[in-house]
Amino acid sequence: MERIQKLGKDQKVQIKLSDHFDYKRLLRFVLPSIIMMIFTSIYGVVDGLFVSNYVGKTPFAALNLIMPLLMMLGALGFMIGTGGNAIVAKSLGEGKREKANEYFSMLVLVTVFGGILLSVVGQIFLPLIARLLGAENEMLKNCILYGRILLVSLPAFMLQNVFQSFLVTAEKPKLGLFITVAAGVTNIVLDFLFIAVFHWGLAGAAIATAMSETVGGVVPLLYFIRKNSSLLRLTRTKFNGRILAKTCINGSSELMTNISMSLVNMLYNFQLMRIAGENGVAAYGVIMYVNFIFVAIYIGYSIGSAPIIGYHYGAGNTEELKNLFGRSLKLVGVFGIILAALAELLAFPLTKLFVGYDRELFSLTCHGFRIYALAFLINGFNIFGSAFFTALSNGVISAVISFLRTLLFQVSAVLLLPVFLGTDGIWLAIVAAEVMALVVTITFWIKEKRRYHYI
């Protein structure tokens, strides 16, 4: 009798994609994804923190110079995870569980083979790209050292990005959180050992990150290979070009977002190297680390809510789509106010934590971050807007929002504003780009409301 009561209680507590979501249930469901993304960002930041304080300013600048390239190569995982997730969630909503598992298995295999191919190509062209980014002498050596070690773990990193989305669709967000925390703790502990204790320098930071990415990618792979209690499992599959193409189209916004962010980061670094030198690149690196943590909340919410949106869209439940859309806008607005206020309050201590040893660099970084932080009021709506249309299987609109937001608007702003405002123009570029992107996002929301009935 006690076992039956306990089972009934567990079933009552477990949240299903098919449920009606009030604020409490919605936040409970997306919270593991938010925490997962925050941890992913934090353990990426740890490398920079240890390298800056224990290895030096030049290796720290080199790490930040080459990191956008590594993120760009790993963007295939984000594309497959988000684009394929929408297809799999929709199939589950239509009651086609066998097909959902077949699609899921094929996309995981594509990720593995794609990761190996990109890893090999990256190893070949890494020195050339580092030189094109402006790296010379010691900085060039550091870029190549850090990049080549992390390229070895690229397939695992891409799998980690894929499973972050699919674990939510499998109704196992807490497992995704546990795996991410385990990967994060691995990175933090190994960073301390390899850099602070063993004094392996920049190589130690790269090895620690590579090993943590391996944990994040391989553990969920092992989970889905065996029998499990989730909605998804890796099964026998075959190549399906139509589904892969649809996945790429659906996930093109996330691919575009990550590639665009990487390209824009390279452009930022190029402009800062030209205007402010090595200090400018180091300052931007600190700002990006903190930005990753703050924006992770929006990305985590979007990842966590997308399977729900995709499921109810597949089930034809327009009332729940209206409910999810309205509540999400209000939550994103509240997040924006809180994050912008926190960023202004924490600018001084966070900057000191990274570069407190250099007065000029500290002043430049703190001032830049306080300007940059204004973007947190706006960018959550654009991130959610893009993810929302991806969940509705409209990859074209999602890609347009991402392309304009992360590439066209930012490139235009970062090239134009410094002409009139100097270094401040670089920090303001993100704010200007997000404002322009918000106009586009709202326009699409209004234009498509009759097609999807979410308003």
Side-chain angles (χ1 to χ4, degrees), residues 46-69:
V46 170
D47 273 5
L49 185 62
F50 274 96
V51 170
S52 179
N53 285 280
Y54 286 91
V55 187
K57 185 166 65 176
T58 298
F60 179 60
L63 183 156
N64 293 311
L65 195 64
I66 205 63
M67 183 59 74
L69 172 65

Side-chain angles (χ1 to χ4, degrees), residues 9-47:
K9 185 178 179 181
D10 289 342
Q11 291 175 339
K12 185 178 179 181
V13 170
Q14 185 178 5
I15 301 174
K16 302 288 186 181
L17 293 176
S18 56
D19 289 348
H20 167 70
F21 286 82
D22 55 17
Y23 283 114
K24 182 178 179 181
R25 187 177 294 265
L26 181 57
L27 285 171
R28 279 180 56 205
F29 190 82
V30 302
L31 186 60
S33 297
I34 293 175
I35 298 175
M36 180 172 64
M37 290 308 302
I38 291 174
F39 262 91
T40 300
S41 301
I42 287 176
Y43 80 72
V45 168
V46 170
D47 273 5

Side-chain angles (χ1 to χ4, degrees), residues 130-165:
R131 290 189 186 94
L132 291 175
L133 292 174
E136 297 177 346
N137 303 323
E138 193 65 27
M139 184 179 286
L140 177 61
K141 294 179 183 178
N142 286 324
C143 285
I144 295 172
L145 172 67
Y146 188 82
R148 281 192 162 153
I149 293 173
L150 281 188
L151 282 170
V152 174
S153 63
L154 182 63
F157 176 56
M158 289 168 57
L159 280 175
Q160 182 179 11
N161 295 333
V162 166
F163 288 131
Q164 282 176 347
S165 296

Side-chain angles (χ1 to χ4, degrees), residues 55-135:
V55 187
K57 185 166 65 176
T58 298
F60 179 60
L63 183 156
N64 293 311
L65 195 64
I66 205 63
M67 183 59 74
L69 172 65
L70 301 173
M71 296 303 296
M72 185 189 301
L73 293 176
L76 179 65
F78 287 105
M79 179 187 72
I80 293 175
T82 53
N85 190 49
I87 295 172
V88 171
K90 185 172 181 290
S91 298
L92 290 172
E94 294 169 342
K96 302 174 182 177
R97 185 170 179 178
E98 186 176 334
K99 280 291 181 184
N101 280 301
E102 183 181 319
Y103 299 154
F104 166 63
S105 303
M106 180 199 70
L107 294 173
V108 170
L109 285 175
V110 169
T111 303
V112 173
F113 288 115
I116 294 171
L117 177 62
L118 288 177
S119 177
V120 173
V121 172
Q123 295 282 1
I124 295 170
F125 291 101
L126 182 64
L128 174 61
I129 296 172
R131 290 189 186 94
L132 291 175
L133 292 174

Side-chain angles (χ1 to χ4, degrees), residues 147-416:
R148 281 192 162 153
I149 293 173
L150 281 188
L151 282 170
V152 174
S153 63
L154 182 63
F157 176 56
M158 289 168 57
L159 280 175
Q160 182 179 11
N161 295 333
V162 166
F163 288 131
Q164 282 176 347
S165 296
F166 280 120
L167 279 165
V168 180
T169 301
E171 295 182 343
K172 294 293 181 181
K174 291 182 180 179
L175 176 61
L177 173 59
F178 172 79
I179 293 170
T180 302
V181 171
V185 171
T186 299
N187 191 53
I188 293 170
V189 172
L190 294 182
D191 262 334
F192 174 75
L193 287 175
F194 295 165
I195 300 174
V197 178
F198 299 157
H199 305 292
W200 289 357
L202 192 60
I207 294 170
T209 299
M211 293 180 72
S212 69
E213 290 173 351
T214 301
V215 171
V218 173
V219 172
L221 181 65
L222 296 175
Y223 173 79
F224 283 116
I225 285 175
R226 65 180 181 82
K227 288 185 178 181
N228 60 74
S229 59
S230 77
L231 294 178
L232 298 176
R233 186 188 171 194
L234 290 170
T235 61
R236 292 178 64 88
T237 187
K238 59 183 178 180
F239 181 77
N240 189 321
R242 183 181 63 85
I243 292 299
L244 180 59
K246 193 172 181 180
T247 294
C248 294
I249 293 171
N250 278 346
S252 59
S253 60
E254 278 65 33
L255 177 68
M256 180 59 66
T257 296
N258 284 277
I259 290 178
S260 298
M261 285 175 60
S262 298
L263 290 173
V264 169
N265 286 345
M266 292 177 187
L267 181 58
Y268 269 79
N269 284 328
F270 180 81
Q271 286 283 70
L272 284 163
M273 183 73 81
R274 183 177 61 84
I275 297 173
E278 190 177 291
N279 274 359
V281 175
Y284 182 63
V286 174
I287 294 172
M288 283 299 96
Y289 281 133
V290 181
N291 172 70
F292 291 154
I293 298 173
F294 279 54
V295 171
I297 294 175
Y298 295 132
I299 297 174
Y301 181 86
S302 298
I303 289 174
S305 61
I308 311 172
I309 295 167
Y311 183 94
H312 286 285
Y313 171 60
N317 190 349
T318 56
E319 288 302 313
E320 190 61 23
L321 278 181
K322 293 176 185 178
N323 171 60
L324 291 166
F325 182 73
R327 293 185 190 277
S328 294
L329 291 188
K330 292 174 184 177
L331 287 172
V332 169
V334 171
F335 291 159
I337 295 171
I338 294 173
L339 290 177
L342 277 176
E344 297 295 337
L345 289 172
L346 297 176
F348 184 92
L350 287 175
T351 303
K352 189 173 183 180
L353 182 66
F354 278 92
V355 292
Y357 55 82
D358 188 309
R359 180 178 296 180
E360 181 182 353
L361 178 56
F362 170 82
S363 177
L364 176 66
T365 306
C366 190
H367 175 72
F369 182 61
R370 282 188 165 137
I371 297 174
Y372 190 99
L374 296 174
F376 297 136
L377 288 168
I378 310 164
N379 55 11
F381 293 104
N382 295 322
I383 293 170
F384 172 74
S386 179
F388 182 73
F389 284 110
T390 297
L392 295 177
S393 295
N394 194 327
V396 175
I397 291 179
S398 183
V400 169
I401 294 173
S402 295
F403 172 77
L404 294 175
R405 170 182 169 257
T406 59
L407 188 61
L408 184 62
F409 291 156
Q410 280 205 57
V411 168
S412 302
V414 80
L415 289 174
L416 184 62

